[in-house]
Amino acid sequence: MRAARLIKMVLLLQSRPSMTAAELARELEVSERTVARDVLSLSEAGVPVYADRGRAGGYRLVGGYRTRLTGLGRSEAEALFLSGVPSALREMGLADAASAARLKVSAALLPELRDAASGAAQRFHLDAPGWYHEPETPPLLPAVADAVWDDRRLSARYLRKGTEVARELEPYGLVLKAGVWYLAARPRDAASTGGAADAEEKASEQGRGLRVYRVDRFATVDTTGERFTRDETFDLPAFWAERAAQFTRSLLRAEVVLRLSREGVRQLPYVTDRVAAGEAVDRADPPDAEGRLTVTLAVESEEVAYAQLLGLGPECEVFAPAGLRERFAVAARRAAALYS
């Protein structure tokens, strides 16, 4: 532990002109007294650390000293590719590896390029969780992530429709979608998966038997110790894109007929499924004399359609089904009464 801290201190000093004891203590998560002891140990080991006295003082390396301890380990290299999603790194237990990787890269750069990492971080940031939801880290996520990195089979208990079922899985990849973690995995024996899978667990043709599991629904996870042979042709982004489209289509089991103003057409993709909205507009006949477009829209249910389309207000008129049209008529009369 101390050796790793000393290496990190050298890399920090190599990547910056000078650092105060307080800055080093904050980066290393130790006290300033521990920093002083570590600096003394480095000096005794032949690392030329010099202490500048005074209010603007600090520690620096003398004479352009450069350590060769900048080779990336496997976990550090893998974490570096995910460093644009810091919340995801923390949840998978890779924050320390990513920090070490960034330090090694900074230490290896020419002095005039050392601000590249901070410059990029100040200009681009990916915020994965959705709005209005406090993200919750599934407690078993680090164990699942370890199995994914290491190509090790999982023996798990999974909550499906309120019942725990046993699963032997080959974990291929993790996806973070709107703050929710999903695992793409192949059941080791499709016949043992308990019969027909539900909509969340169905295999896609592109995935060649892979299924999608919500990580927060795993009750237990154990690595079997066995490695599996990964299909090197598997493309996780392509699989997820197809799986997401398939899942969306599986939910849209009802249809509603609407008449939309030009503004309603513009807003429709923002209140309902974007793909379904686009397909409905593309299939529609030309606008009427008032410029309104009549569309047939695929929706999850009348209840969901009511909640979604209500936000369009007078830009949308529901024609069918009759029961949904009546609900909108009642809502319109109630709104008119409030503002009369």
Side-chain angles (χ1 to χ4, degrees):
M1 185 71 177
R2 184 165 184 261
R5 188 174 71 242
L6 292 174
I7 292 172
K8 186 172 183 178
M9 178 181 286
V10 174
L11 292 173
L12 283 167
L13 293 174
Q14 184 172 313
S15 63
R16 306 178 193 182
S18 176
M19 293 186 71
T20 66
E23 289 171 337
L24 284 168
R26 185 168 57 252
E27 290 280 355
L28 299 172
E29 299 181 349
V30 295
S31 66
E32 293 186 30
R33 181 170 296 183
T34 299
V35 168
R37 287 198 298 265
D38 287 350
V39 167
L40 181 61
S41 297
L42 287 173
S43 297
E44 292 173 349
V47 178
V49 182
Y50 180 78
D52 290 316
R53 305 293 181 183
R55 180 177 297 178
Y59 296 102
R60 60 185 175 86
L61 294 174
V62 179
Y65 176 86
R66 298 182 66 81
T67 177
R68 296 184 179 181
L69 298 172
T70 54
L72 292 179
R74 171 173 289 275
S75 64
E76 295 165 348
E78 290 168 337
L80 189 60
F81 286 103
L82 293 172
S83 58
V85 195
S87 60
L89 284 169
R90 287 193 300 271
E91 292 181 8
M92 290 192 291
L94 294 173
D96 290 341
S99 175
R102 286 192 293 270
L103 272 176
K104 290 181 178 181
V105 170
S106 296
L109 291 173
L110 294 173
E112 61 268 26
L113 297 178
R114 285 178 186 160
D115 64 344
S118 61
Q122 290 167 359
R123 289 166 174 81
F124 301 100
H125 173 65
L126 177 60
D127 185 9
W131 290 104
Y132 314 120
H133 295 283
E134 189 67 28
E136 295 183 6
T137 303
L140 297 176
L141 177 62
V144 175
D146 285 345
V148 170
W149 284 125
D150 220 16
D151 291 341
R152 292 192 180 275
R153 291 191 175 97
L154 288 175
S155 177
R157 303 286 300 178
Y158 186 72
L159 295 173
R160 178 168 170 253
K161 295 182 178 179
T163 303
E164 279 192 19
V165 292
R167 292 289 184 267
E168 295 289 332
L169 302 173
E170 295 178 352
Y172 266 69
L174 283 164
V175 175
L176 178 59
K177 169 70 171 177
V180 180
W181 285 94
Y182 297 89
L183 173 68
R186 176 180 288 125
R188 192 173 181 186
D189 181 1
S192 68
T193 59
D198 59 17
E200 189 175 339
E201 201 183 358
K202 286 181 179 177
S204 77
E205 184 176 349
Q206 189 276 342
R208 292 178 291 281
L210 271 82
R211 298 178 178 176
V212 176
Y213 302 86
R214 278 185 60 145
V215 176
D216 58 5
R217 291 186 184 172
F218 283 110
T220 62
V221 167
D222 293 305
T223 54
T224 65
E226 294 181 46
R227 291 181 181 274
F228 65 92
T229 302
R230 174 180 286 268
D231 180 356
E232 296 300 332
T233 65
F234 175 69
D235 184 338
L236 180 59
F239 166 78
W240 180 257
E242 180 182 337
R243 181 64 186 81
Q246 180 191 63
F247 182 67
T248 299
R249 288 194 299 269
S250 73
L251 292 177
L252 304 180
R253 300 168 183 161
E255 288 186 342
V256 295
V257 180
L258 317 171
R259 192 166 71 129
L260 301 166
S261 67
R262 290 187 180 89
E263 181 63 16
V265 172
R266 189 189 70 80
Q267 292 184 20
L268 187 63
Y270 298 100
V271 300
T272 187
D273 180 74
R274 185 175 295 271
V275 174
E279 292 176 349
V281 171
D282 290 342
R283 291 194 305 261
D285 292 330
D288 61 20
E290 298 177 5
R292 289 181 171 264
L293 196 69
T294 300
V295 303
T296 300
L297 176 69
V299 295
E300 185 173 343
S301 66
E302 287 188 27
E303 190 66 33
V304 171
Y306 177 76
Q308 292 175 334
L309 299 174
L310 200 59
L312 294 180
E315 310 302 332
C316 170
E317 179 185 359
V318 176
F319 282 164
L324 183 61
R325 179 179 174 85
E326 179 57 28
R327 289 189 66 180
F328 272 87
V330 171
R333 288 193 293 269
R334 291 176 60 192
L338 286 174
Y339 289 98
S340 59

